[in-house]
Amino acid sequence: AAGPTGAAGARTAAAAHALTARARLAKVKRLDGHKHDVTSAQWSRAHGGDTRLLTGSRDGQARVWKCLSRSRITRKAASGPGGGHVLGTGGGTAALVVGGAGSSVSGRGGGRGRLTAAGATARAAAEEALRSGTAMVPGFTAFEEEWGFLPLGDQARVGGASQPPLVNMAVWAGPQDEWAVCAYTDATLVVWDADTGNRLHTLRGHAQQIFVTDTHPTRPEVVMSAGYDGVLVIWDVSTGQQLYRYGDLGGGGGGAAARDDGPAQEGAGDLRD
């Protein structure tokens, strides 16, 4: 038989897509600790396979998060009426309630088993479990993780006399992601040692806040910064030196004329490889 058409068919397809997407995603861990908006989050691509996450926040602090342990746990399936188990497929297109009084079976191909009043209630419970993401096969294996963090800089304090600048963005840098480069609202970039939390360099090349920072795809020691002053700077964060500088030092508001300095120093190197 032909499936639903028109608006009904579109709604059915959208619902199936939403269930499929939800079935593929599951919350593993909630990381708490920042006291204001998180402005950036970036997974480490290196570092010996460790699971590390770099976050920046408008509380003035960046953090290097690391998964410290991962343990296997086994969860039981949700129970349906009459003691049946609520099962869900990964695709979210079939729901089963089996093993209890008045069990019902609804398969991907549309085949159906016995359906009583209790079975109808059980099926509704199965569909709700699928929608909420709690449907699991008995003996389903999941993982529980414990995380820790390394703070980079100080957090803002409510009512404090002096407050740190806020973090607009944070990115990894270095061959093994050994550095964290943070752009602050005081127009500076700070290079941190991501293993010790020590400040390595404070880079000053902008007159206004930096709003974009990115790492070179093949030269991991090279970082680009762009600010509201209209200036773009390319840095070697291993040494703290400017390699190239482009833009309007007047920030678009008059004053200094637009300039393109080219290489910031003799023999700055070619970044095209």
Side-chain angles (χ1 to χ4, degrees):
T5 60
R11 286 194 297 271
T12 301
H17 176 75
L19 287 174
T20 300
R22 176 166 291 187
R24 292 175 181 170
L25 297 175
K27 183 170 70 175
V28 175
K29 187 69 176 179
R30 177 187 172 112
L31 303 178
D32 293 307
H34 283 300
K35 299 182 182 300
H36 209 294
D37 298 343
V38 174
T39 55
S40 64
Q42 189 178 76
W43 291 105
S44 173
R45 300 159 297 177
H47 211 74
D50 287 346
T51 301
R52 297 195 307 166
L53 178 69
L54 174 63
T55 60
S57 171
R58 293 187 65 81
D59 64 6
Q61 189 177 78
R63 292 186 172 194
V64 176
W65 301 85
K66 183 177 179 180
C67 182
L68 303 176
S69 66
R70 191 169 191 248
S71 56
R72 189 184 298 267
I73 59 175
T74 301
R75 297 174 179 171
K76 295 180 180 180
S79 295
H85 291 300
V86 179
L87 310 183
T89 67
T93 55
L96 308 169
V97 181
V98 297
S103 298
S104 67
V105 179
S106 175
R108 186 182 301 271
R112 295 178 181 177
R114 179 168 58 92
L115 182 62
T116 64
T121 302
R123 177 183 292 177
E127 292 172 348
E128 175 57 29
L130 283 173
R131 282 194 295 271
S132 65
T134 59
M136 289 175 287
V137 176
F140 174 80
T141 300
F143 294 92
E144 187 172 66
E145 296 181 348
E146 291 298 326
W147 286 67
F149 69 89
L150 176 70
L152 306 178
D154 297 324
Q155 282 187 323
R157 299 177 302 280
V158 176
S162 62
Q163 301 288 2
L166 312 182
V167 180
N168 280 337
M169 195 169 184
V171 297
W172 294 104
Q176 295 297 317
D177 288 346
E178 60 265 42
W179 306 314
V181 182
C182 300
Y184 290 89
T185 53
D186 65 353
T188 64
L189 282 176
V190 175
V191 184
W192 300 91
D193 186 315
D195 292 317
T196 66
N198 293 332
R199 183 190 294 249
L200 301 178
H201 306 291
T202 299
L203 310 180
R204 294 181 174 86
H206 291 274
Q208 295 184 38
Q209 289 188 37
I210 300 165
F211 67 94
V212 173
T213 308
D214 203 1
T215 307
H216 194 283
T218 62
R219 298 276 297 275
E221 77 282 4
V222 174
V223 170
M224 178 273 294
S225 63
Y228 288 113
D229 53 4
V231 173
L232 182 148
V233 182
I234 298 177
W235 307 86
D236 182 338
V237 296
S238 66
T239 63
Q241 294 179 323
Q242 290 187 27
L243 300 179
Y244 289 82
R245 181 182 185 86
Y246 309 90
D248 176 8
L249 293 179
R259 51 188 288 189
D260 180 348
D261 292 333
Q265 59 180 18
E266 192 93 18
D270 192 339
L271 301 179
R272 290 175 294 180
D273 61 340

PDB file of all heavy atoms in Angstrom, residues 61-90:
ATOM      1  N   GLN A  61      37.778  33.022  31.731  1.00  0.00           N
ATOM      2  CA  GLN A  61      38.656  31.862  31.861  1.00  0.00           C
ATOM      3  C   GLN A  61      38.467  30.905  30.689  1.00  0.00           C
ATOM      4  O   GLN A  61      37.360  30.724  30.184  1.00  0.00           O
ATOM      5  CB  GLN A  61      38.352  31.129  33.165  1.00  0.00           C
ATOM      6  CG  GLN A  61      39.348  30.031  33.514  1.00  0.00           C
ATOM      7  CD  GLN A  61      39.017  29.409  34.872  1.00  0.00           C
ATOM      8  OE1 GLN A  61      38.115  28.589  34.987  1.00  0.00           O
ATOM      9  NE2 GLN A  61      39.755  29.825  35.904  1.00  0.00           N
ATOM     10  N   ALA A  62      39.588  30.304  30.276  1.00  0.00           N
ATOM     11  CA  ALA A  62      39.538  29.157  29.370  1.00  0.00           C
ATOM     12  C   ALA A  62      39.859  27.912  30.187  1.00  0.00           C
ATOM     13  O   ALA A  62      40.486  27.991  31.246  1.00  0.00           O
ATOM     14  CB  ALA A  62      40.525  29.328  28.224  1.00  0.00           C
ATOM     15  N   ARG A  63      39.418  26.765  29.691  1.00  0.00           N
ATOM     16  CA  ARG A  63      39.663  25.517  30.406  1.00  0.00           C
ATOM     17  C   ARG A  63      40.037  24.419  29.428  1.00  0.00           C
ATOM     18  O   ARG A  63      39.457  24.314  28.346  1.00  0.00           O
ATOM     19  CB  ARG A  63      38.432  25.080  31.211  1.00  0.00           C
ATOM     20  CG  ARG A  63      38.116  25.998  32.372  1.00  0.00           C
ATOM     21  CD  ARG A  63      36.990  25.453  33.235  1.00  0.00           C
ATOM     22  NE  ARG A  63      36.825  26.262  34.440  1.00  0.00           N
ATOM     23  CZ  ARG A  63      36.115  25.899  35.495  1.00  0.00           C
ATOM     24  NH1 ARG A  63      35.496  24.725  35.508  1.00  0.00           N
ATOM     25  NH2 ARG A  63      36.020  26.672  36.551  1.00  0.00           N
ATOM     26  N   VAL A  64      41.015  23.603  29.838  1.00  0.00           N
ATOM     27  CA  VAL A  64      41.346  22.383  29.117  1.00  0.00           C
ATOM     28  C   VAL A  64      40.710  21.232  29.889  1.00  0.00           C
ATOM     29  O   VAL A  64      41.119  20.917  31.009  1.00  0.00           O
ATOM     30  CB  VAL A  64      42.868  22.183  29.011  1.00  0.00           C
ATOM     31  CG1 VAL A  64      43.178  20.846  28.347  1.00  0.00           C
ATOM     32  CG2 VAL A  64      43.513  23.323  28.222  1.00  0.00           C
ATOM     33  N   TRP A  65      39.683  20.628  29.296  1.00  0.00           N
ATOM     34  CA  TRP A  65      38.981  19.516  29.921  1.00  0.00           C
ATOM     35  C   TRP A  65      39.588  18.205  29.418  1.00  0.00           C
ATOM     36  O   TRP A  65      39.930  18.082  28.238  1.00  0.00           O
ATOM     37  CB  TRP A  65      37.498  19.537  29.568  1.00  0.00           C
ATOM     38  CG  TRP A  65      36.771  20.780  29.959  1.00  0.00           C
ATOM     39  CD1 TRP A  65      36.683  21.942  29.242  1.00  0.00           C
ATOM     40  CD2 TRP A  65      36.015  20.997  31.146  1.00  0.00           C
ATOM     41  NE1 TRP A  65      35.912  22.858  29.906  1.00  0.00           N
ATOM     42  CE2 TRP A  65      35.485  22.315  31.084  1.00  0.00           C
ATOM     43  CE3 TRP A  65      35.722  20.199  32.260  1.00  0.00           C
ATOM     44  CZ2 TRP A  65      34.687  22.839  32.085  1.00  0.00           C
ATOM     45  CZ3 TRP A  65      34.923  20.725  33.255  1.00  0.00           C
ATOM     46  CH2 TRP A  65      34.413  22.035  33.170  1.00  0.00           C
ATOM     47  N   LYS A  66      39.684  17.227  30.311  1.00  0.00           N
ATOM     48  CA  LYS A  66      40.248  15.932  29.936  1.00  0.00           C
ATOM     49  C   LYS A  66      39.437  14.815  30.558  1.00  0.00           C
ATOM     50  O   LYS A  66      39.050  14.889  31.718  1.00  0.00           O
ATOM     51  CB  LYS A  66      41.709  15.832  30.397  1.00  0.00           C
ATOM     52  CG  LYS A  66      42.397  14.541  29.990  1.00  0.00           C
ATOM     53  CD  LYS A  66      43.862  14.555  30.414  1.00  0.00           C
ATOM     54  CE  LYS A  66      44.558  13.258  30.037  1.00  0.00           C
ATOM     55  NZ  LYS A  66      45.985  13.262  30.434  1.00  0.00           N
ATOM     56  N   CYS A  67      39.177  13.796  29.754  1.00  0.00           N
ATOM     57  CA  CYS A  67      38.491  12.612  30.270  1.00  0.00           C
ATOM     58  C   CYS A  67      39.486  11.797  31.092  1.00  0.00           C
ATOM     59  O   CYS A  67      40.492  11.313  30.577  1.00  0.00           O
ATOM     60  CB  CYS A  67      37.940  11.784  29.111  1.00  0.00           C
ATOM     61  SG  CYS A  67      37.011  10.334  29.640  1.00  0.00           S
ATOM     62  N   LEU A  68      39.215  11.651  32.386  1.00  0.00           N
ATOM     63  CA  LEU A  68      40.127  10.967  33.301  1.00  0.00           C
ATOM     64  C   LEU A  68      39.876   9.472  33.370  1.00  0.00           C
ATOM     65  O   LEU A  68      40.804   8.680  33.567  1.00  0.00           O
ATOM     66  CB  LEU A  68      39.998  11.564  34.704  1.00  0.00           C
ATOM     67  CG  LEU A  68      40.246  13.074  34.805  1.00  0.00           C
ATOM     68  CD1 LEU A  68      39.999  13.540  36.227  1.00  0.00           C
ATOM     69  CD2 LEU A  68      41.650  13.433  34.343  1.00  0.00           C
ATOM     70  N   SER A  69      38.623   9.068  33.235  1.00  0.00           N
ATOM     71  CA  SER A  69      38.304   7.643  33.297  1.00  0.00           C
ATOM     72  C   SER A  69      37.020   7.383  32.536  1.00  0.00           C
ATOM     73  O   SER A  69      36.173   8.256  32.381  1.00  0.00           O
ATOM     74  CB  SER A  69      38.156   7.171  34.747  1.00  0.00           C
ATOM     75  OG  SER A  69      37.039   7.786  35.365  1.00  0.00           O
ATOM     76  N   ARG A  70      36.908   6.157  32.071  1.00  0.00           N
ATOM     77  CA  ARG A  70      35.718   5.757  31.312  1.00  0.00           C
ATOM     78  C   ARG A  70      35.387   4.329  31.713  1.00  0.00           C
ATOM     79  O   ARG A  70      36.192   3.420  31.520  1.00  0.00           O
ATOM     80  CB  ARG A  70      36.006   5.842  29.814  1.00  0.00           C
ATOM     81  CG  ARG A  70      34.791   5.718  28.911  1.00  0.00           C
ATOM     82  CD  ARG A  70      35.196   6.103  27.497  1.00  0.00           C
ATOM     83  NE  ARG A  70      34.057   6.255  26.621  1.00  0.00           N
ATOM     84  CZ  ARG A  70      33.785   5.444  25.601  1.00  0.00           C
ATOM     85  NH1 ARG A  70      34.589   4.432  25.335  1.00  0.00           N
ATOM     86  NH2 ARG A  70      32.739   5.659  24.843  1.00  0.00           N
ATOM     87  N   SER A  71      34.236   4.129  32.325  1.00  0.00           N
ATOM     88  CA  SER A  71      33.864   2.806  32.809  1.00  0.00           C
ATOM     89  C   SER A  71      32.623   2.311  32.077  1.00  0.00           C
ATOM     90  O   SER A  71      31.732   3.097  31.724  1.00  0.00           O
ATOM     91  CB  SER A  71      33.608   2.831  34.318  1.00  0.00           C
ATOM     92  OG  SER A  71      32.619   3.788  34.643  1.00  0.00           O
ATOM     93  N   ARG A  72      32.577   1.029  31.863  1.00  0.00           N
ATOM     94  CA  ARG A  72      31.458   0.400  31.163  1.00  0.00           C
ATOM     95  C   ARG A  72      30.318   0.133  32.146  1.00  0.00           C
ATOM     96  O   ARG A  72      30.539  -0.384  33.237  1.00  0.00           O
ATOM     97  CB  ARG A  72      31.932  -0.903  30.525  1.00  0.00           C
ATOM     98  CG  ARG A  72      30.940  -1.563  29.572  1.00  0.00           C
ATOM     99  CD  ARG A  72      31.517  -2.882  29.093  1.00  0.00           C
ATOM    100  NE  ARG A  72      32.759  -2.683  28.360  1.00  0.00           N
ATOM    101  CZ  ARG A  72      32.832  -2.539  27.041  1.00  0.00           C
ATOM    102  NH1 ARG A  72      31.724  -2.562  26.324  1.00  0.00           N
ATOM    103  NH2 ARG A  72      33.992  -2.380  26.457  1.00  0.00           N
ATOM    104  N   ILE A  73      29.124   0.500  31.760  1.00  0.00           N
ATOM    105  CA  ILE A  73      27.955   0.229  32.596  1.00  0.00           C
ATOM    106  C   ILE A  73      26.893  -0.456  31.749  1.00  0.00           C
ATOM    107  O   ILE A  73      26.869  -0.328  30.534  1.00  0.00           O
ATOM    108  CB  ILE A  73      27.368   1.515  33.224  1.00  0.00           C
ATOM    109  CG1 ILE A  73      26.956   2.521  32.128  1.00  0.00           C
ATOM    110  CG2 ILE A  73      28.345   2.153  34.182  1.00  0.00           C
ATOM    111  CD1 ILE A  73      26.263   3.736  32.671  1.00  0.00           C
ATOM    112  N   THR A  74      26.023  -1.204  32.398  1.00  0.00           N
ATOM    113  CA  THR A  74      24.936  -1.897  31.715  1.00  0.00           C
ATOM    114  C   THR A  74      23.620  -1.391  32.264  1.00  0.00           C
ATOM    115  O   THR A  74      23.417  -1.364  33.474  1.00  0.00           O
ATOM    116  CB  THR A  74      25.038  -3.426  31.916  1.00  0.00           C
ATOM    117  OG1 THR A  74      26.292  -3.871  31.401  1.00  0.00           O
ATOM    118  CG2 THR A  74      23.912  -4.134  31.185  1.00  0.00           C
ATOM    119  N   ARG A  75      22.769  -0.980  31.361  1.00  0.00           N
ATOM    120  CA  ARG A  75      21.474  -0.444  31.763  1.00  0.00           C
ATOM    121  C   ARG A  75      20.365  -1.439  31.419  1.00  0.00           C
ATOM    122  O   ARG A  75      20.441  -2.152  30.430  1.00  0.00           O
ATOM    123  CB  ARG A  75      21.201   0.879  31.049  1.00  0.00           C
ATOM    124  CG  ARG A  75      22.201   1.968  31.394  1.00  0.00           C
ATOM    125  CD  ARG A  75      21.956   3.181  30.548  1.00  0.00           C
ATOM    126  NE  ARG A  75      22.897   4.244  30.897  1.00  0.00           N
ATOM    127  CZ  ARG A  75      23.032   5.373  30.190  1.00  0.00           C
ATOM    128  NH1 ARG A  75      22.307   5.573  29.132  1.00  0.00           N
ATOM    129  NH2 ARG A  75      23.898   6.279  30.573  1.00  0.00           N
ATOM    130  N   LYS A  76      19.335  -1.428  32.229  1.00  0.00           N
ATOM    131  CA  LYS A  76      18.178  -2.271  31.976  1.00  0.00           C
ATOM    132  C   LYS A  76      17.205  -1.538  31.064  1.00  0.00           C
ATOM    133  O   LYS A  76      17.160  -0.313  31.032  1.00  0.00           O
ATOM    134  CB  LYS A  76      17.474  -2.634  33.285  1.00  0.00           C
ATOM    135  CG  LYS A  76      18.325  -3.487  34.217  1.00  0.00           C
ATOM    136  CD  LYS A  76      17.556  -3.809  35.479  1.00  0.00           C
ATOM    137  CE  LYS A  76      18.393  -4.667  36.417  1.00  0.00           C
ATOM    138  NZ  LYS A  76      17.658  -4.982  37.661  1.00  0.00           N
ATOM    139  N   ALA A  77      16.418  -2.309  30.349  1.00  0.00           N
ATOM    140  CA  ALA A  77      15.401  -1.701  29.508  1.00  0.00           C
ATOM    141  C   ALA A  77      14.284  -1.151  30.371  1.00  0.00           C
ATOM    142  O   ALA A  77      14.044  -1.594  31.489  1.00  0.00           O
ATOM    143  CB  ALA A  77      14.833  -2.738  28.531  1.00  0.00           C
ATOM    144  N   ALA A  78      13.582  -0.150  29.826  1.00  0.00           N
ATOM    145  CA  ALA A  78      12.409   0.378  30.516  1.00  0.00           C
ATOM    146  C   ALA A  78      11.328  -0.683  30.554  1.00  0.00           C
ATOM    147  O   ALA A  78      11.210  -1.499  29.640  1.00  0.00           O
ATOM    148  CB  ALA A  78      11.912   1.629  29.792  1.00  0.00           C
ATOM    149  N   SER A  79      10.538  -0.705  31.598  1.00  0.00           N
ATOM    150  CA  SER A  79       9.482  -1.703  31.742  1.00  0.00           C
ATOM    151  C   SER A  79       8.162  -1.164  31.235  1.00  0.00           C
ATOM    152  O   SER A  79       7.799  -0.019  31.499  1.00  0.00           O
ATOM    153  CB  SER A  79       9.335  -2.117  33.217  1.00  0.00           C
ATOM    154  OG  SER A  79      10.507  -2.767  33.661  1.00  0.00           O
ATOM    155  N   GLY A  80       7.443  -1.998  30.519  1.00  0.00           N
ATOM    156  CA  GLY A  80       6.118  -1.640  30.055  1.00  0.00           C
ATOM    157  C   GLY A  80       5.065  -2.274  30.937  1.00  0.00           C
ATOM    158  O   GLY A  80       5.377  -3.012  31.869  1.00  0.00           O
ATOM    159  N   PRO A  81       3.792  -2.012  30.659  1.00  0.00           N
ATOM    160  CA  PRO A  81       2.711  -2.605  31.445  1.00  0.00           C
ATOM    161  C   PRO A  81       2.784  -4.129  31.406  1.00  0.00           C
ATOM    162  O   PRO A  81       3.159  -4.723  30.396  1.00  0.00           O
ATOM    163  CB  PRO A  81       1.446  -2.081  30.753  1.00  0.00           C
ATOM    164  CG  PRO A  81       1.899  -0.831  30.062  1.00  0.00           C
ATOM    165  CD  PRO A  81       3.311  -1.094  29.647  1.00  0.00           C
ATOM    166  N   GLY A  82       2.490  -4.775  32.514  1.00  0.00           N
ATOM    167  CA  GLY A  82       2.507  -6.222  32.572  1.00  0.00           C
ATOM    168  C   GLY A  82       3.894  -6.800  32.653  1.00  0.00           C
ATOM    169  O   GLY A  82       4.092  -8.002  32.472  1.00  0.00           O
ATOM    170  N   GLY A  83       4.885  -5.953  32.910  1.00  0.00           N
ATOM    171  CA  GLY A  83       6.236  -6.456  33.054  1.00  0.00           C
ATOM    172  C   GLY A  83       6.985  -6.593  31.760  1.00  0.00           C
ATOM    173  O   GLY A  83       8.095  -7.119  31.735  1.00  0.00           O
ATOM    174  N   GLY A  84       6.422  -6.144  30.640  1.00  0.00           N
ATOM    175  CA  GLY A  84       7.107  -6.251  29.356  1.00  0.00           C
ATOM    176  C   GLY A  84       8.262  -5.284  29.254  1.00  0.00           C
ATOM    177  O   GLY A  84       8.340  -4.303  29.984  1.00  0.00           O
ATOM    178  N   HIS A  85       9.201  -5.575  28.338  1.00  0.00           N
ATOM    179  CA  HIS A  85      10.342  -4.701  28.088  1.00  0.00           C
ATOM    180  C   HIS A  85      10.036  -3.777  26.913  1.00  0.00           C
ATOM    181  O   HIS A  85       9.499  -4.203  25.897  1.00  0.00           O
ATOM    182  CB  HIS A  85      11.597  -5.516  27.758  1.00  0.00           C
ATOM    183  CG  HIS A  85      12.116  -6.284  28.921  1.00  0.00           C
ATOM    184  ND1 HIS A  85      12.522  -5.685  30.089  1.00  0.00           N
ATOM    185  CD2 HIS A  85      12.288  -7.625  29.097  1.00  0.00           C
ATOM    186  CE1 HIS A  85      12.933  -6.611  30.941  1.00  0.00           C
ATOM    187  NE2 HIS A  85      12.801  -7.790  30.365  1.00  0.00           N
ATOM    188  N   VAL A  86      10.390  -2.510  27.050  1.00  0.00           N
ATOM    189  CA  VAL A  86      10.240  -1.545  25.969  1.00  0.00           C
ATOM    190  C   VAL A  86      11.545  -1.526  25.196  1.00  0.00           C
ATOM    191  O   VAL A  86      12.603  -1.238  25.745  1.00  0.00           O
ATOM    192  CB  VAL A  86       9.945  -0.130  26.516  1.00  0.00           C
ATOM    193  CG1 VAL A  86       9.829   0.845  25.372  1.00  0.00           C
ATOM    194  CG2 VAL A  86       8.661  -0.157  27.324  1.00  0.00           C
ATOM    195  N   LEU A  87      11.484  -1.844  23.919  1.00  0.00           N
ATOM    196  CA  LEU A  87      12.667  -1.880  23.080  1.00  0.00           C
ATOM    197  C   LEU A  87      12.539  -0.855  21.974  1.00  0.00           C
ATOM    198  O   LEU A  87      11.450  -0.564  21.506  1.00  0.00           O
ATOM    199  CB  LEU A  87      12.861  -3.262  22.440  1.00  0.00           C
ATOM    200  CG  LEU A  87      12.789  -4.483  23.381  1.00  0.00           C
ATOM    201  CD1 LEU A  87      13.066  -5.748  22.581  1.00  0.00           C
ATOM    202  CD2 LEU A  87      13.781  -4.345  24.506  1.00  0.00           C
ATOM    203  N   GLY A  88      13.678  -0.346  21.499  1.00  0.00           N
ATOM    204  CA  GLY A  88      13.654   0.579  20.371  1.00  0.00           C
ATOM    205  C   GLY A  88      14.787   0.275  19.432  1.00  0.00           C
ATOM    206  O   GLY A  88      15.877  -0.096  19.851  1.00  0.00           O
ATOM    207  N   THR A  89      14.565   0.400  18.137  1.00  0.00           N
ATOM    208  CA  THR A  89      15.629   0.198  17.168  1.00  0.00           C
ATOM    209  C   THR A  89      16.414   1.474  17.005  1.00  0.00           C
ATOM    210  O   THR A  89      15.942   2.564  17.299  1.00  0.00           O
ATOM    211  CB  THR A  89      15.063  -0.202  15.808  1.00  0.00           C
ATOM    212  OG1 THR A  89      14.344   0.908  15.267  1.00  0.00           O
ATOM    213  CG2 THR A  89      14.133  -1.393  15.930  1.00  0.00           C
ATOM    214  N   GLY A  90      17.641   1.350  16.482  1.00  0.00           N
ATOM    215  CA  GLY A  90      18.480   2.524  16.289  1.00  0.00           C
ATOM    216  C   GLY A  90      17.873   3.505  15.315  1.00  0.00           C
ATOM    217  O   GLY A  90      18.096   4.695  15.402  1.00  0.00           O
TER     218      GLY A  90
END
